[in-house]
Amino acid sequence: FARMGQRWEVVRPSSTSTSTFTSGYSTVCHEAHRFGPLLSLSGTPAVESVVLDGGRERRLVQPNDDVRLFSPRELMRLSGFPEDFVFPEALTVRQR
């Protein structure tokens, strides 16, 4: 994730707000930090982070940081889809 000083929004399971996820979320490119936040499983904010409202922070992400992209199922939960929802098989991954 870390690349040339990009600052990511990082949230935790206890966060109450987040920025918007865009269709490019999880895309590997030099602008990926603009597509949505990362999830941190660490309990404490990074030393050099900017603390935002709702339990969010904006910070540089280091290669050994305990952060990851949200999974497709987590994104569906955040969007209000029921747990048993399944996309029709005819849809491509991009359409989903």
Side-chain angles (χ1 to χ4, degrees), residues 1 3 5-6 8-9 13 16 18 24 36-37 43-44 67 82:
F1 300 118
R3 186 183 151 100
Q6 294 172 337
W8 287 79
E9 179 181 337
T16 58
T18 184
T44 58
V67 297

Side-chain angles (χ1 to χ4, degrees), residues 4-78:
M4 296 183 5
Q6 294 172 337
R7 294 193 176 272
W8 287 79
E9 179 181 337
V10 178
V11 298
R12 290 181 179 67
S14 61
S15 297
T16 58
S17 68
T18 184
S19 62
T20 303
F21 293 93
T22 68
S23 62
Y25 191 73
S26 80
T27 301
V28 178
C29 77
H30 69 284
E31 295 291 324
H33 66 289
R34 300 172 130 196
F35 300 151
L38 297 175
L39 178 63
S40 172
L41 303 176
S42 169
T44 58
V47 174
E48 295 185 20
S49 66
V50 175
V51 178
L52 307 170
D53 64 328
R56 304 174 297 150
E57 62 181 285
R58 182 153 320 270
R59 65 180 170 99
L60 293 174
V61 174
Q62 303 301 322
N64 61 344
D65 283 354
D66 190 16
V67 297
R68 64 175 175 80
L69 292 168
F70 281 78
S71 71
R73 181 56 63 183
E74 290 167 330
L75 293 172
M76 289 174 64
R77 280 188 202 117
L78 289 170

